[in-house]
Amino acid sequence: MEIAARAKKKGSTREGQFRYALDMCAKTGDLAGALALYESTAAENVRLSAYHFNSLLHIISTSIETFDEPSKKSSIDTSFAIFDRMAADGATPTEATITSMARIAAQRPDGGADLAFDLVKTMGERYGASPRLRTYGPALSAFCRRLEADKAYAVEYHMVSMGVVPEEPEIVALLEVSAKVGREDKVYGYLHKLRGSVGCVADSTAKILEGWFRSEQAMEVGRSNWDAARVKDAILMNGGGWHGLGWLGEGGWDIRHVTVNCEGDCSGCGQRLACVDIDRMETEKFAVSVATLALGRESKSNFRTFQEWLEKHSEYEAIIDGANVGLYQQNFADGGFSLSQVDAVVRELFERSQGRWPLIILHNKRALALMENPSNRQILEKWRAEGAWYTTPTGSNDDWYWLYAAVKLKCLLVTNDEMRDHIFELLGRSFFSKWKERHQVRYTFNKGDLMLMMPPPYSSVIQESDTGSWHVPLEEKCDNEKLRNWLCITRQASHASSKGVCLAGHSTQTSVEPRQVTSPAENVNCEQKLPSSFQSFSDKAVCVTGKRKDRS
């Protein structure tokens, strides 16, 4: 009565009063009050809008799981009556309507999940509405609870066909039902989908994975012999960290909670984890995307000239965004372009790389201004003589040039540019952040001293080794990656192989790229080091990390 009284003050029309009262019921979760309001509108012949119907159905859908069976059945019947009236009154159901109805329908003990899925499958044709991830949740969850695995797979198939990408909860639900019904091939597939969609996994996900690997079914999967060369080639093609060729090894699994040190070595099995890159196909698509966008915004002849030049000069292992480095911290009264900062980066890379020059990308207009200073001219002429400098033509955006060069040559990129413009225009693609993590080198100057912040030596993502073992990082608040907990999942044969024991018919563990040996100073921040030719100043070799390219 109090709500009704306040509603009269809030709206002059009956519809306005009803809306206010209904909103109050939604805020307080008052289902009984909401249904009483609905019944009063039916008696008074009040015309309701889609908003009113959606609010009613939402209140029911968020409450129904707590009801006993008789109340649940009554609420389901009431919901479908409301839904039918909505259609009769000409109020078009929206995605929110179908999501609420799917949640309600899924509570029916017989055929509820099928009904929920049917609502989703037909919503486009019937109402012109497009499903979202949440719309599929009720049917998928219900099929998984009831161990109707094939129907759950059908939900995922429809989801993907509609451009909806499953996230960790959906993938884990599919993985778990696959494990429970003994579909080891599906478990493997969903484990890889999980690897591709998340970094660190939730504790609940970790428990489900542990449950699978401890099961008798998991003990029986795999094989004792495999083509080691094929597995290693697959890992290389995939960018490191996984091969995707099926379960390897035989017997039970050892599951340990471990940590990983700065170099990426597992404290449990000793394997070195990879810094995972995008795969070769993604790399090529990325390069084509950058070139296509650049050609659409730059002079085609200028950018094509650069592409042709780069094809003939593909030996670079590091690209420098000259403008970004030269203008770093120059926003003061006498500040300008600091060529000395760029030169410091060049010399650092050159000295570490046993005499290999990086490629500096610099705008032509900037270069002409710098050439007017004799000391600058000497530096620039040296770069030009060594083939370490490319000037982008007047009117061009040098961002396209350094980004394309770094992607095309699969090498490191020295820049503090966040590349947000590129992300917005280019890539709402998941692999762009992975590419940046693997290739971008950030820097700082502290009182004139250069510090390069290299990519991390390993990636905190699910990894699959060439011996069939798995490493799974756990999601937790962790400022120091060395303290992060991982699941180390190995078989005895795999574990022995990773320690260098040669087992007949088994692969011997090797990293995708050579092991890193770094100076103590470089290890402090767990940074990844420069490509194969690069050395730290302690004359210790540093691994191939910037470029997956065969060298003769």
Side-chain angles (χ1 to χ4, degrees):
M1 294 297 293
E2 182 181 351
I3 291 176
R6 292 170 65 185
K8 288 182 180 179
K9 297 179 182 179
K10 288 287 182 178
S12 57
T13 66
R14 183 69 183 93
E15 289 82 359
Q17 294 169 9
F18 175 75
R19 175 165 181 161
Y20 175 78
L22 188 61
D23 287 346
M24 292 299 294
C25 289
K27 285 181 180 179
T28 59
D30 182 5
L31 177 58
L35 291 177
L37 283 168
Y38 172 71
E39 289 170 2
S40 70
T41 63
E44 298 172 26
N45 200 28
V46 176
R47 188 174 183 83
L48 303 182
S49 69
Y51 176 86
H52 299 135
F53 288 113
N54 284 338
S55 293
L56 279 164
L57 294 172
H58 177 71
I59 294 170
I60 298 172
S61 71
T62 55
S63 307
I64 195 167
E65 288 188 10
T66 64
F67 295 167
D68 58 28
E69 287 305 317
S71 300
K72 189 175 288 186
K73 183 180 183 306
S74 174
S75 295
I76 292 170
D77 293 340
T78 301
S79 299
F80 275 90
I82 294 171
F83 186 61
D84 290 341
R85 181 183 168 187
M86 182 178 188
D89 285 2
T92 304
T94 64
E95 179 274 330
T97 314
I98 302 303
T99 297
S100 293
M101 287 303 301
R103 289 170 180 162
I104 294 164
Q107 296 300 315
R108 283 176 56 169
D110 297 319
D114 295 289
L115 180 56
F117 189 27
D118 186 63
L119 284 165
V120 178
K121 288 188 291 184
T122 59
M123 63 188 287
E125 181 182 349
R126 290 181 178 177
Y127 314 117
S130 298
R132 295 167 57 184
L133 183 59
R134 67 178 185 175
T135 320
Y136 288 97
L140 181 63
S141 296
F143 285 138
C144 289
R145 282 197 309 271
R146 297 167 190 179
L147 302 185
E148 297 182 271
D150 288 332
K151 290 182 178 180
Y153 303 150
V155 174
E156 185 210 10
Y157 180 83
H158 191 274
M159 187 187 303
V160 173
S161 74
M162 295 299 293
V164 177
V165 181
E167 296 179 357
E168 183 174 356
E170 293 74 32
I171 296 171
V172 172
L174 288 159
L175 187 154
E176 185 175 27
V177 72
S178 299
K180 287 179 177 178
V181 300
R183 297 285 296 273
E184 68 272 6
D185 56 331
K186 288 289 190 178
V187 175
Y188 185 82
Y190 287 120
L191 187 50
H192 273 292
K193 287 184 180 182
L194 188 64
R195 174 198 54 75
S197 64
V198 302
C200 302
V201 306
D203 286 342
S204 57
T205 299
K207 289 175 182 176
I208 290 170
L209 293 178
E210 287 192 62
W212 157 253
F213 282 105
R214 294 188 193 282
S215 69
E216 291 185 8
Q217 184 75 22
M219 291 176 61
E220 297 172 1
V221 302
R223 56 190 186 275
S224 59
N225 292 285
W226 60 87
D227 186 338
R230 179 172 175 245
V231 171
K232 290 173 185 174
D233 286 345
I235 291 175
L236 199 60
M237 287 288 291
N238 293 338
W242 66 284
H243 55 76
L245 297 177
W247 303 108
L248 302 182
E250 288 184 320
W253 299 85
D254 291 328
I255 304 170
R256 286 162 288 184
H257 285 255
V258 300
T259 56
V260 175
N261 69 14
C262 272
E263 288 74 30
D265 298 325
C266 171
S267 65
C269 67
Q271 285 187 7
R272 175 157 293 188
L273 302 185
C275 184
V276 179
D277 203 349
I278 60 177
D279 65 38
R280 290 185 181 180
M281 186 176 296
E282 288 174 329
T283 300
E284 291 306 316
K285 286 181 180 178
F286 190 8
V288 169
S289 296
V290 175
T292 300
L293 285 166
L295 288 167
R297 290 159 176 76
E298 300 287 310
S299 164
K300 285 186 171 61
S301 60
N302 288 340
F303 196 78
R304 285 201 177 113
T305 298
F306 175 65
Q307 287 180 293
E308 293 168 1
W309 181 87
L310 203 62
E311 288 290 337
K312 298 174 183 175
H313 302 80
S314 60
E315 70 278 6
Y316 302 103
E317 293 187 327
I319 309 296
I320 300 174
D321 174 4
N324 185 268
V325 177
L327 293 172
Y328 178 74
Q329 291 184 338
Q330 296 300 305
N331 55 340
F332 54 91
D334 296 325
F337 189 93
S338 174
L339 191 65
S340 62
Q341 289 184 171
V342 182
D343 191 44
V345 173
V346 172
R347 285 185 284 106
E348 174 84 357
L349 298 179
F350 178 82
E351 191 163 353
R352 290 189 180 203
S353 68
Q354 305 169 43
R356 289 181 181 271
W357 288 88
L359 175 63
I360 308 106
I361 303 290
L362 197 60
H363 198 280
N364 182 53
K365 184 177 179 181
R366 180 85 60 189
L368 290 173
L370 290 168
M371 289 289 279
E372 295 176 2
N373 181 299
S375 59
N376 287 342
R377 187 185 309 121
Q378 184 178 3
I379 294 172
L380 293 171
E381 291 292 356
K382 174 66 173 175
W383 293 351
R384 177 178 289 167
E386 298 294 344
W389 176 30
Y390 190 95
T391 55
T392 60
T394 302
S396 64
N397 182 347
D398 53 358
D399 289 8
W400 295 115
Y401 290 76
W402 52 252
L403 180 56
Y404 177 77
V407 175
K408 184 66 177 177
L409 301 186
K410 307 177 183 69
C411 64
L412 296 174
L413 171 63
V414 182
T415 183
N416 284 347
D417 194 321
E418 292 298 332
M419 295 176 264
R420 290 194 179 95
D421 291 339
H422 306 305
I423 293 174
F424 177 77
E425 269 195 285
L426 252 181
L427 300 163
R429 301 178 190 168
S430 60
F431 63 72
F432 189 53
S433 59
K434 187 192 296 185
W435 182 88
K436 284 177 61 179
E437 180 187 70
R438 180 69 171 80
H439 293 269
Q440 185 173 6
V441 178
R442 301 176 189 277
Y443 63 87
T444 186
F445 286 89
N446 184 13
K447 296 181 180 179
D449 293 330
L450 169 67
M451 178 180 292
L452 295 179
M453 289 160 280
M454 307 306 296
Y458 65 94
S459 301
S460 292
V461 296
I462 296 173
Q463 299 201 23
E464 175 190 36
S465 80
D466 65 355
T467 60
S469 62
W470 294 82
H471 288 84
V472 182
L474 305 187
E475 186 178 54
E476 52 197 357
K477 292 181 180 179
C478 188
D479 295 330
N480 188 338
E481 279 297 319
K482 289 188 295 183
L483 302 179
R484 182 178 300 283
N485 283 311
W486 290 65
L487 292 182
C488 170
I489 307 168
T490 62
R491 279 170 157 150
Q492 289 185 352
S494 172
H495 190 185
S497 180
S498 72
K499 294 292 189 180
V501 179
C502 183
L503 300 174
H506 288 77
S507 161
T508 299
Q509 171 69 15
T510 60
S511 299
V512 175
E513 298 168 335
R515 292 173 66 86
Q516 301 177 33
V517 183
T518 61
S519 66
E522 289 172 314
N523 274 338
V524 170
N525 296 316
C526 289
E527 297 170 345
Q528 179 170 316
K529 309 308 176 280
L530 293 169
S532 59
S533 55
F534 285 68
Q535 285 188 319
S536 67
F537 292 116
S538 61
D539 293 328
K540 293 182 179 179
V542 188
C543 84
V544 178
T545 52
K547 198 166 186 177
R548 301 191 319 273
K549 191 166 184 177
D550 295 330
R551 301 273 175 201
S552 56

